[in-house]
Amino acid sequence: NGGDNVVTLLDYGAGNVRSVRNAIRKLGYDIKDVQKPEDILNAERLIFPGVGAFAAAMDFLNRNGMAEALCTYIENDRPFLGICLGLQLLFESSEEKGLVKGLGLIPGVIGRFDSSTGFRVPHIGWNALQIRKDAGILDDVCGQHVYFVHSYRAMPSDTNKEWISSTCDYGDNFIASIRRGNVHAVQFHPEKSGVYKFFSSGKVARMGGQILEMNHSDVGLSIVGQFLHSKPYKTASKGKASRLAKRVIACLDVRTNDKGDLVVTKGDQYDVREHTKENEVRNLGKPVELAGEYYKDGADEVTFLNITGFRDFPLGDLPMLQVLRYTSENVFVPLTVGGGIRDFTDGNGRHYTSLEVASEYFRSGADKVSIGSDAVYAAEAYLRTGVKSGKSSLEQISRVYGNQAVVVSIDPRRVYIKNPEDADFKTVKVTNPGPNGEEYAWYQCTVNGGREGRPIGAYELAKAVEELGAGEILLNCIDCDGQGKGFDIDLIQLVSDAVTIPVIASSGAGAVEHFSEVCKKTNASAALAAGIFHRKEIPIHSVKEHMLKEGIEVRM
Ligand code: 1PR
């Protein structure tokens, strides 16, 4: 079956498996893709990175005879590593879409996290594990943060406790990994947990710096195996019922400059042009290079925003797809891409759906897509009619790829008012009064990169897009963008208290204290920044060291 160096991969094409592929190759293994059930039965070692929805995955496995082959393979205790849905499918059934039968190898029903407990759903980010037993591959991971992204989870019970190797707290104490003999499965994403260090010699280093020879007898589990050899790290905990870390995200606004090169740029209140005679687009570096630097410096995620996507067609923008492909070869944390996700008819009259645009981004290495302008129109239509059409880009993409894969990016501008009754939208009493002593403000949503104000507030938009299927909100603020004076705490409080999905605070970071402030004063799940990192003012690891000192849970 191709020898010791081959890993068999079961990829049924429903999402981004590029990072798993890239990680396997980095570790010096070749990949054999499963084409037919016999490929599973003949595998030396099998990795199953489940993506997409439970019902669609089971349907695929049943239709192709792969469900039976998988059961035989696992019952024979053959080396297996399931990731995410690759863990859930081993259970009896899932409540994801009604009750759908799984492979039935492990007792238990996969259920949804309960958002009424105050924990945001999806569970997105870096959380710590509690090791229950000798997990083989988890030996050194105790206390480490690993990357999760899911809305459904398996729960421990008397009938499945033999299988459980680790659990994790997120409201519930759910099953984070299982192990029996050579069979392993993890709910988290080792390929996105980014603790690999690679050397050109083909050797792999532990986090502690010690170099390991590649050990091919690691039976295909070297991805997790190496990952888990990192040193236990003690983090401060607030003693809450979860150790989900606050994420620090590096954002790269990307566009083509006047010479035709794709560059990372950065605006002041969304104006990205230099105020010189030439009026050129500010150029802060190359996207792939910068993303790689931020990954090495400890970024928990990297976000690319194609800021002229609203007027250019992103699939015509092949460099952006190349940027994703190249970045995902070396950056093993989640990648988000936004800009221009909507239905589009090109110059030749060919119609592309937003789903096709998003699919191309996922295939190129994105884990999440971010929708800006099109989500504003969808929310407006929903609030006007009270009907979910099911046809918006937001609804279509989250239906196929799951809501954890869809971020809505909001670009609001502060509108000061004297009396709260002066606005049709939710207002806040502002911390700092406006230029004419106004004590209140509402936050007007915009489209087309802040160029056009719309009749909808950030609060109303956030609630509407949550209902339409958004899994996360990227909350910018045009007033604060590029100013370095801190996040708009009033706005972030307003929105993060209005929804139960995670909110990423963005715009205005200029000092390490701004990150701890937004984590302490609001319910934001992550803080995103751009200029402070591009201008090399403060490295990402210094931001995280500061947060840790302030008692905030972070992934180091
Ligand atoms: O409307 O779906 O095509 O998406 C367009 C996307 O591009 C949106 O997510 C929108 O936020 C973004 N965008 C459009 N124009 C600009 C611009 O700057 N002219 N950038 C733009 C938005 C804002 C942040 C920035 C933070 C942090 N960038 O993402 O990175 O404000 O900056 P800071 O730390 O330096 O303060 P569509």
Side-chain angles (χ1 to χ4, degrees):
N1 190 42
D4 275 356
N5 242 12
V6 176
V7 177
T8 302
L9 187 73
L10 176 50
D11 170 10
Y12 47 85
N16 175 24
V17 178
R18 187 174 280 265
S19 303
V20 175
R21 289 181 183 278
N22 287 338
I24 294 170
R25 290 204 190 100
K26 277 277 178 190
L27 288 159
Y29 287 79
D30 293 327
I31 296 169
K32 179 178 163 62
D33 277 292
V34 172
Q35 313 279 359
K36 48 189 187 316
E38 295 74 55
D39 296 333
I40 295 177
L41 298 171
N42 294 331
E44 292 289 327
R45 36 185 108 90
L46 179 67
I47 296 188
F48 182 24
V51 283
F54 191 99
M58 270 319 293
D59 188 43
F60 172 87
L61 297 176
N62 284 325
R63 251 187 303 122
N64 296 286
M66 300 220 184
E68 205 185 323
L70 264 177
C71 289
T72 307
Y73 184 86
I74 291 170
E75 277 162 357
N76 289 339
D77 194 26
R78 307 282 300 136
F80 174 85
L81 172 62
I83 299 174
C84 195
L85 202 56
L87 173 140
Q88 297 187 3
L89 292 165
L90 305 182
F91 284 77
E92 285 167 328
S93 57
S94 166
E95 295 172 348
E96 195 176 316
K97 291 232 162 65
L99 199 64
V100 177
K101 262 178 89 170
L103 294 171
L105 297 162
I106 306 178
V109 178
I110 308 294
R112 194 170 201 276
F113 282 112
D114 179 4
S115 57
S116 69
T117 56
F119 286 84
R120 282 159 203 276
V121 183
H123 172 218
I124 297 182
W126 308 78
N127 210 335
L129 301 182
Q130 290 124 39
I131 308 296
R132 284 237 186 148
K133 68 167 185 192
D134 162 33
I137 59 168
L138 295 176
D139 283 350
D140 296 328
V141 81
C142 197
Q144 279 282 354
H145 287 89
V146 290
Y147 186 74
F148 289 90
V149 50
H150 59 135
S151 300
Y152 290 79
R153 83 284 179 265
M155 292 295 289
S157 69
D158 274 351
T159 48
N160 64 27
K161 62 174 189 258
E162 301 294 309
W163 284 85
I164 302 171
S165 54
S166 72
T167 57
C168 175
D169 280 329
Y170 195 65
D172 302 320
N173 182 251
F174 69 90
I175 298 176
S177 64
I178 60 100
R179 187 232 174 142
R180 194 138 104 181
N182 287 313
V183 175
H184 301 259
V186 293
Q187 178 62 63
F188 53 89
H189 289 266
E191 80 285 6
K192 288 284 162 190
S193 294
V195 286
Y196 296 106
K197 292 219 169 134
F198 297 107
F199 292 91
S200 50
S201 63
K203 292 172 176 175
V204 180
R206 294 180 179 190
M207 277 289 272
Q210 184 193 349
I211 296 176
L212 300 170
E213 287 285 346
M214 281 293 303
N215 180 358
H216 289 177
S217 66
D218 265 357
V219 220
L221 303 176
S222 47
I223 288 182
V224 183
Q226 301 297 336
F227 156 62
L228 298 167
H229 277 112
S230 47
K231 281 224 174 73
Y233 189 91
K234 280 213 169 4
T235 37
S237 169
K238 279 187 193 156
K240 282 199 204 152
S242 176
R243 291 192 48 207
L244 183 68
K246 298 282 183 184
R247 288 167 278 156
V248 176
I249 302 176
C251 182
L252 290 83
D253 289 353
V254 176
R255 63 160 288 169
T256 312
N257 66 11
D258 302 324
K259 289 196 208 108
D261 303 324
L262 199 68
V263 297
V264 174
T265 189
K266 182 68 212 72
D268 276 328
Q269 301 184 325
Y270 285 35
D271 176 6
V272 298
R273 295 207 172 253
E274 301 280 12
H275 291 221
T276 55
K277 209 164 82 233
E278 289 75 25
N279 205 225
E280 65 271 46
V281 171
R282 204 172 286 154
N283 180 349
L284 291 162
K286 295 188 178 151
V288 179
E289 257 172 47
L290 275 183
E293 278 174 30
Y294 295 149
Y295 167 60
K296 286 192 202 127
D297 196 25
D300 294 317
E301 291 183 26
V302 175
T303 295
F304 293 104
L305 296 176
N306 185 350
I307 66 169
T308 49
F310 70 89
R311 59 167 181 244
D312 305 328
F313 179 47
L315 296 191
D317 210 351
L318 290 172
M320 193 64 206
L321 299 175
Q322 286 295 10
V323 163
L324 281 172
R325 290 188 194 116
Y326 289 137
T327 303
S328 65
E329 282 173 17
N330 293 305
V331 173
F332 292 94
V333 288
L335 301 177
T336 302
V337 65
I341 295 177
R342 69 202 144 102
D343 292 351
F344 189 85
T345 305
D346 71 11
N348 303 322
R350 154 115 212 250
H351 183 72
Y352 296 84
T353 64
S354 56
L355 194 58
E356 285 174 279
V357 179
S359 301
E360 199 52 44
Y361 276 147
F362 288 127
R363 271 195 292 276
S364 301
D367 298 284
K368 306 187 240 182
V369 294
S370 165
I371 308 176
S373 308
D374 212 44
V376 178
Y377 301 128
E380 285 180 20
Y382 174 49
L383 292 179
R384 199 171 50 240
T385 59
V387 177
K388 294 181 192 169
S389 72
K391 296 202 177 107
S392 65
S393 53
L394 167 53
E395 290 161 285
Q396 289 192 48
I397 300 167
S398 65
R399 193 162 51 237
V400 175
Y401 289 95
N403 56 357
Q404 81 292 335
V406 186
V407 181
V408 167
S409 162
I410 314 185
D411 300 314
R413 186 177 272 125
R414 205 182 299 132
V415 183
Y416 289 109
I417 45 176
K418 285 232 152 50
N419 301 305
E421 300 79 44
D422 295 347
D424 293 334
F425 307 97
K426 181 93 170 172
T427 55
V428 289
K429 193 162 193 304
V430 286
T431 312
N432 301 310
N436 302 308
E438 299 94 336
E439 289 190 356
Y440 296 89
W442 69 286
Y443 289 89
Q444 181 179 25
C445 292
T446 64
V447 292
N448 300 350
R451 285 170 183 79
E452 186 193 338
R454 299 294 306 179
I456 183 169
Y459 173 90
E460 289 77 15
L461 182 89
K463 288 179 84 78
V465 298
E466 174 174 26
E467 285 184 42
L468 291 173
E472 208 171 11
I473 286 172
L474 163 51
L475 184 56
N476 302 294
C477 176
I478 298 180
D479 308 81
C480 297
D481 175 56
Q483 305 305 295
K485 295 189 186 132
F487 295 93
D488 189 322
I489 301 293
D490 296 331
L491 168 67
I492 297 158
Q493 242 166 12
L494 174 75
V495 172
S496 62
D497 288 346
V499 293
T500 67
I501 53 180
V503 172
I504 301 165
S506 164
S507 305
V512 290
E513 291 76 16
H514 295 151
F515 290 86
S516 47
E517 182 190 27
V518 78
C519 292
K520 287 181 174 176
K521 291 192 178 163
T522 77
N523 282 315
S525 301
L528 171 148
I532 190 176
F533 301 140
H534 302 337
R535 292 187 299 266
K536 319 268 180 248
E537 286 165 11
I538 298 167
I540 296 173
H541 70 263
S542 305
V543 170
K544 294 174 86 171
E545 279 157 16
H546 164 80
M547 290 165 74
L548 186 63
K549 232 172 35 222
E550 290 293 306
I552 297 164
E553 188 83 27
V554 283
R555 173 191 76 114
M556 295 305 287

